[in-house]
Amino acid sequence: CFVALAWGLNFPVTKLVTDGTTDAVTVSAGAFTAMRFGISGAALSPFLFLKSTNLKQNLLSGLEVGLYLSLGYVSQAVGLQTETAGSAGFLCS
């Protein structure tokens, strides 16, 4: 239930933060994505060292997957600047 709630709130929160029409803090799509991935990376970094057999390979693989995922999130945030949150959620589902 929490996963569905978090996924569903992703679109309105991203639109609110990146569109600049409210009195709230407005940031660019790239900066917002960097903040999200920075927080996630910091939270998950302790797990990197648990039973790691090849730390260098794990880091390179994680950076590659993270790059693709961040490109997707930036594209989504840029699209939300011209679309409504509801239509973006429908298109991405």
Side-chain angles (χ1 to χ4, degrees), residues 11-27 80:
F11 299 102
V13 169
T14 301
K15 179 129 181 104
L16 179 71
V17 172
T18 60
D19 74 351
T21 59
T22 63
D23 292 334
V25 175
T26 303
V27 296
L80 274 169

Side-chain angles (χ1 to χ4, degrees), residues 7 11-12 15 76-77 79-93:
W7 184 86
F11 299 102
K15 179 129 181 104
Q76 184 181 49
L80 274 169
Q81 292 175 347
T82 58
E83 285 294 322
T84 65
S87 66
F90 175 75
L91 291 172
C92 291
S93 63

